[in-house]
Amino acid sequence: MSANVLADRHVNTCVPTQDIGAGVDGHEKNEYARMLSPKNINLMLSAGLGPLTYRLRTELAGEAWHWNTRGSWSDPAHQCGYWTSDSSLGEPIDVSYGYRLPRRGNTIDQANNDGYSRLTDGDSASFWKSNPYLDEYFTGEPNERRKQWVVVDLGSPKPVNSICIHWAEPYATDYAVEYWTGRDPMHLHPDEKDNWRSFPHGSIGHGHGGDETIRLDNGTRSVRFIRISLSKSSGRATNRTSSDVRDLLGFAIREIDLGTIDAKNRFADQVKHRADHAGQTITYTSSTDPWHRAEDIDEKTEQPGLDFILQSKLPNGLPTL
């Protein structure tokens, strides 16, 4: 098989000083000021790199970013809720911070990886909640297109025939409990025909919330990955006095037990419940509610402020992404 080459004209062009650039990111506390000194910036520019990309370490950490320290809470009286940074001009923003999410669902993140999931932390007062902005109330699209889910990784195949979901609110009224047939659903292998399959008794159409124990299989199945696929929400807020619609949207779970029920109705839980990402059973979630509190600030990691970066020489007179 041969291909025709048009030798009489170029297909595209690449101007290195415009097309090859560099990025800035968040770093440990006090590092950015030392790294981005005027002397170091001049040395960076001497490499001849062009455009600048501004990256968010807060996103990798699964944190909420306050790009401006000035702004407003949805619940100002308690300094919590959903934060909106102030868009009006003020003092130059030299540094900004992320805020840990107390409704986090992922055990693992791609930043410092020192957080943990609230689904397997052993605390009945904490809970994971999905992102309300993915609900059709905001998207205008049916929730079926953005179905929320939780995946539990038992670490190795373990005997399973039952699950107990300790719901918070809003809980799911329609959901399915499934198992993965292959090696690893979180790192897919395109050449393998693996899939999620529902347990024989894993389809639930009338969920009632609270502590819901379900016998998934008449026998016992050896599985590693289990997914709870969430379809319909009860639409009941965790905070009954709240008038914020975001509290009504999505799904919330306090804790998950997974294992076997024997003939004497004794539950053998295979999940490790610990408030420690290295010790708890790993969970993954489709999204996380950005609700947080002033006290959740992560001061160990700093994000260079927008004003600091854009007023420096780093953008090279070119647009910054």
Side-chain angles (χ1 to χ4, degrees), residues 38 43 65 135 151 173 187 197 222 253 260 273 283 291 313-314:
L43 290 171
W65 180 40
D135 188 88
V151 170
T173 59
H187 304 88
R197 295 182 182 175
S222 181
I253 299 175
T260 56
H273 302 268
T283 63
W291 187 100
K313 296 179 181 179
L314 283 171

PDB file of all heavy atoms in Angstrom, residues 38 43 65 135 151 173 187 197 222 253 260 273 283 291 313-314:
ATOM      1  N   PRO A  38      12.387  36.647  39.438  1.00  0.00           N
ATOM      2  CA  PRO A  38      12.726  37.324  38.171  1.00  0.00           C
ATOM      3  C   PRO A  38      13.928  36.690  37.476  1.00  0.00           C
ATOM      4  O   PRO A  38      13.934  36.541  36.245  1.00  0.00           O
ATOM      5  CB  PRO A  38      13.012  38.758  38.617  1.00  0.00           C
ATOM      6  CG  PRO A  38      12.180  38.936  39.849  1.00  0.00           C
ATOM      7  CD  PRO A  38      12.228  37.611  40.544  1.00  0.00           C
ATOM      8  N   LEU A  43      15.786  33.071  32.910  1.00  0.00           N
ATOM      9  CA  LEU A  43      16.441  31.845  32.455  1.00  0.00           C
ATOM     10  C   LEU A  43      15.461  30.945  31.716  1.00  0.00           C
ATOM     11  O   LEU A  43      15.801  30.318  30.710  1.00  0.00           O
ATOM     12  CB  LEU A  43      17.047  31.102  33.650  1.00  0.00           C
ATOM     13  CG  LEU A  43      18.264  31.761  34.308  1.00  0.00           C
ATOM     14  CD1 LEU A  43      18.623  31.049  35.609  1.00  0.00           C
ATOM     15  CD2 LEU A  43      19.451  31.748  33.349  1.00  0.00           C
ATOM     16  N   TRP A  65     -11.232  25.099  43.614  1.00  0.00           N
ATOM     17  CA  TRP A  65     -10.233  26.165  43.496  1.00  0.00           C
ATOM     18  C   TRP A  65     -10.865  27.523  43.754  1.00  0.00           C
ATOM     19  O   TRP A  65     -11.866  27.874  43.137  1.00  0.00           O
ATOM     20  CB  TRP A  65      -9.631  26.130  42.097  1.00  0.00           C
ATOM     21  CG  TRP A  65      -8.577  27.172  41.822  1.00  0.00           C
ATOM     22  CD1 TRP A  65      -7.599  27.603  42.668  1.00  0.00           C
ATOM     23  CD2 TRP A  65      -8.392  27.887  40.595  1.00  0.00           C
ATOM     24  NE1 TRP A  65      -6.805  28.533  42.048  1.00  0.00           N
ATOM     25  CE2 TRP A  65      -7.268  28.736  40.766  1.00  0.00           C
ATOM     26  CE3 TRP A  65      -9.051  27.897  39.363  1.00  0.00           C
ATOM     27  CZ2 TRP A  65      -6.805  29.582  39.750  1.00  0.00           C
ATOM     28  CZ3 TRP A  65      -8.588  28.725  38.359  1.00  0.00           C
ATOM     29  CH2 TRP A  65      -7.477  29.564  38.563  1.00  0.00           C
ATOM     30  N   ASP A 135     -26.762  17.192  37.052  1.00  0.00           N
ATOM     31  CA  ASP A 135     -28.180  16.831  36.997  1.00  0.00           C
ATOM     32  C   ASP A 135     -28.864  17.568  35.847  1.00  0.00           C
ATOM     33  O   ASP A 135     -28.437  18.653  35.431  1.00  0.00           O
ATOM     34  CB  ASP A 135     -28.853  17.191  38.320  1.00  0.00           C
ATOM     35  CG  ASP A 135     -30.272  16.666  38.406  1.00  0.00           C
ATOM     36  OD1 ASP A 135     -30.442  15.518  38.848  1.00  0.00           O
ATOM     37  OD2 ASP A 135     -31.218  17.409  38.024  1.00  0.00           O
ATOM     38  N   VAL A 151     -17.573   2.848  41.983  1.00  0.00           N
ATOM     39  CA  VAL A 151     -16.881   1.576  41.777  1.00  0.00           C
ATOM     40  C   VAL A 151     -16.082   1.246  43.033  1.00  0.00           C
ATOM     41  O   VAL A 151     -15.352   2.100  43.554  1.00  0.00           O
ATOM     42  CB  VAL A 151     -15.941   1.631  40.557  1.00  0.00           C
ATOM     43  CG1 VAL A 151     -15.044   0.398  40.508  1.00  0.00           C
ATOM     44  CG2 VAL A 151     -16.751   1.731  39.266  1.00  0.00           C
ATOM     45  N   THR A 173     -33.460   5.853  44.057  1.00  0.00           N
ATOM     46  CA  THR A 173     -34.666   5.019  44.047  1.00  0.00           C
ATOM     47  C   THR A 173     -34.593   3.960  42.949  1.00  0.00           C
ATOM     48  O   THR A 173     -35.337   2.984  42.975  1.00  0.00           O
ATOM     49  CB  THR A 173     -35.915   5.883  43.823  1.00  0.00           C
ATOM     50  OG1 THR A 173     -35.793   6.583  42.573  1.00  0.00           O
ATOM     51  CG2 THR A 173     -36.068   6.910  44.948  1.00  0.00           C
ATOM     52  N   HIS A 187      -8.750   0.958  34.033  1.00  0.00           N
ATOM     53  CA  HIS A 187      -7.666   1.072  33.056  1.00  0.00           C
ATOM     54  C   HIS A 187      -7.983   0.086  31.934  1.00  0.00           C
ATOM     55  O   HIS A 187      -7.509  -1.045  31.934  1.00  0.00           O
ATOM     56  CB  HIS A 187      -6.310   0.770  33.692  1.00  0.00           C
ATOM     57  CG  HIS A 187      -6.010   1.629  34.871  1.00  0.00           C
ATOM     58  ND1 HIS A 187      -6.406   1.293  36.157  1.00  0.00           N
ATOM     59  CD2 HIS A 187      -5.388   2.833  34.981  1.00  0.00           C
ATOM     60  CE1 HIS A 187      -6.019   2.232  36.992  1.00  0.00           C
ATOM     61  NE2 HIS A 187      -5.412   3.176  36.311  1.00  0.00           N
ATOM     62  N   ARG A 197     -21.648  -6.502  34.240  1.00  0.00           N
ATOM     63  CA  ARG A 197     -22.840  -7.353  34.227  1.00  0.00           C
ATOM     64  C   ARG A 197     -23.573  -7.207  35.552  1.00  0.00           C
ATOM     65  O   ARG A 197     -22.950  -7.198  36.617  1.00  0.00           O
ATOM     66  CB  ARG A 197     -22.456  -8.815  34.011  1.00  0.00           C
ATOM     67  CG  ARG A 197     -21.842  -9.088  32.643  1.00  0.00           C
ATOM     68  CD  ARG A 197     -21.531 -10.558  32.471  1.00  0.00           C
ATOM     69  NE  ARG A 197     -20.896 -10.835  31.182  1.00  0.00           N
ATOM     70  CZ  ARG A 197     -20.437 -12.015  30.812  1.00  0.00           C
ATOM     71  NH1 ARG A 197     -20.550 -13.060  31.633  1.00  0.00           N
ATOM     72  NH2 ARG A 197     -19.871 -12.171  29.632  1.00  0.00           N
ATOM     73  N   SER A 222     -17.055 -14.830  42.909  1.00  0.00           N
ATOM     74  CA  SER A 222     -15.740 -14.272  43.208  1.00  0.00           C
ATOM     75  C   SER A 222     -15.481 -13.087  42.278  1.00  0.00           C
ATOM     76  O   SER A 222     -15.325 -13.255  41.069  1.00  0.00           O
ATOM     77  CB  SER A 222     -14.651 -15.332  43.021  1.00  0.00           C
ATOM     78  OG  SER A 222     -13.374 -14.794  43.342  1.00  0.00           O
ATOM     79  N   ILE A 253     -24.117   8.709  49.458  1.00  0.00           N
ATOM     80  CA  ILE A 253     -23.946   7.439  50.171  1.00  0.00           C
ATOM     81  C   ILE A 253     -22.983   7.649  51.327  1.00  0.00           C
ATOM     82  O   ILE A 253     -21.918   8.244  51.163  1.00  0.00           O
ATOM     83  CB  ILE A 253     -23.385   6.349  49.230  1.00  0.00           C
ATOM     84  CG1 ILE A 253     -24.353   6.090  48.072  1.00  0.00           C
ATOM     85  CG2 ILE A 253     -23.130   5.053  49.996  1.00  0.00           C
ATOM     86  CD1 ILE A 253     -23.815   5.113  47.026  1.00  0.00           C
ATOM     87  N   THR A 260     -20.465 -11.331  51.973  1.00  0.00           N
ATOM     88  CA  THR A 260     -21.376 -12.479  51.928  1.00  0.00           C
ATOM     89  C   THR A 260     -22.271 -12.523  53.168  1.00  0.00           C
ATOM     90  O   THR A 260     -21.881 -12.102  54.252  1.00  0.00           O
ATOM     91  CB  THR A 260     -20.590 -13.806  51.859  1.00  0.00           C
ATOM     92  OG1 THR A 260     -19.695 -13.879  52.975  1.00  0.00           O
ATOM     93  CG2 THR A 260     -19.802 -13.890  50.567  1.00  0.00           C
ATOM     94  N   HIS A 273     -12.746  -0.299  56.153  1.00  0.00           N
ATOM     95  CA  HIS A 273     -13.295   1.028  56.427  1.00  0.00           C
ATOM     96  C   HIS A 273     -12.295   1.827  57.269  1.00  0.00           C
ATOM     97  O   HIS A 273     -12.179   1.627  58.482  1.00  0.00           O
ATOM     98  CB  HIS A 273     -14.624   0.905  57.172  1.00  0.00           C
ATOM     99  CG  HIS A 273     -15.659   0.107  56.433  1.00  0.00           C
ATOM    100  ND1 HIS A 273     -16.576   0.670  55.587  1.00  0.00           N
ATOM    101  CD2 HIS A 273     -15.907  -1.241  56.411  1.00  0.00           C
ATOM    102  CE1 HIS A 273     -17.353  -0.271  55.079  1.00  0.00           C
ATOM    103  NE2 HIS A 273     -16.967  -1.448  55.564  1.00  0.00           N
ATOM    104  N   THR A 283     -12.108   3.228  46.315  1.00  0.00           N
ATOM    105  CA  THR A 283     -13.331   3.502  45.556  1.00  0.00           C
ATOM    106  C   THR A 283     -13.062   4.592  44.528  1.00  0.00           C
ATOM    107  O   THR A 283     -12.195   5.444  44.694  1.00  0.00           O
ATOM    108  CB  THR A 283     -14.497   3.946  46.460  1.00  0.00           C
ATOM    109  OG1 THR A 283     -14.159   5.189  47.106  1.00  0.00           O
ATOM    110  CG2 THR A 283     -14.813   2.894  47.513  1.00  0.00           C
ATOM    111  N   TRP A 291     -19.242  21.114  47.137  1.00  0.00           N
ATOM    112  CA  TRP A 291     -19.573  21.730  48.434  1.00  0.00           C
ATOM    113  C   TRP A 291     -18.372  21.604  49.375  1.00  0.00           C
ATOM    114  O   TRP A 291     -17.746  20.558  49.477  1.00  0.00           O
ATOM    115  CB  TRP A 291     -20.780  21.010  49.036  1.00  0.00           C
ATOM    116  CG  TRP A 291     -21.361  21.611  50.285  1.00  0.00           C
ATOM    117  CD1 TRP A 291     -22.462  22.406  50.374  1.00  0.00           C
ATOM    118  CD2 TRP A 291     -20.896  21.440  51.639  1.00  0.00           C
ATOM    119  NE1 TRP A 291     -22.698  22.745  51.683  1.00  0.00           N
ATOM    120  CE2 TRP A 291     -21.745  22.169  52.477  1.00  0.00           C
ATOM    121  CE3 TRP A 291     -19.822  20.755  52.201  1.00  0.00           C
ATOM    122  CZ2 TRP A 291     -21.586  22.221  53.866  1.00  0.00           C
ATOM    123  CZ3 TRP A 291     -19.649  20.818  53.575  1.00  0.00           C
ATOM    124  CH2 TRP A 291     -20.521  21.540  54.391  1.00  0.00           C
ATOM    125  N   LYS A 313       6.771  38.131  32.941  1.00  0.00           N
ATOM    126  CA  LYS A 313       7.217  37.997  31.559  1.00  0.00           C
ATOM    127  C   LYS A 313       6.873  36.627  30.961  1.00  0.00           C
ATOM    128  O   LYS A 313       7.057  36.406  29.760  1.00  0.00           O
ATOM    129  CB  LYS A 313       8.737  38.198  31.485  1.00  0.00           C
ATOM    130  CG  LYS A 313       9.213  39.587  31.875  1.00  0.00           C
ATOM    131  CD  LYS A 313      10.730  39.657  31.785  1.00  0.00           C
ATOM    132  CE  LYS A 313      11.260  41.027  32.200  1.00  0.00           C
ATOM    133  NZ  LYS A 313      12.751  41.071  32.135  1.00  0.00           N
ATOM    134  N   LEU A 314       6.384  35.718  31.800  1.00  0.00           N
ATOM    135  CA  LEU A 314       6.168  34.344  31.344  1.00  0.00           C
ATOM    136  C   LEU A 314       5.242  34.210  30.131  1.00  0.00           C
ATOM    137  O   LEU A 314       5.494  33.373  29.263  1.00  0.00           O
ATOM    138  CB  LEU A 314       5.652  33.486  32.501  1.00  0.00           C
ATOM    139  CG  LEU A 314       6.692  33.039  33.530  1.00  0.00           C
ATOM    140  CD1 LEU A 314       6.009  32.390  34.719  1.00  0.00           C
ATOM    141  CD2 LEU A 314       7.680  32.064  32.890  1.00  0.00           C
TER     142      LEU A 314
END
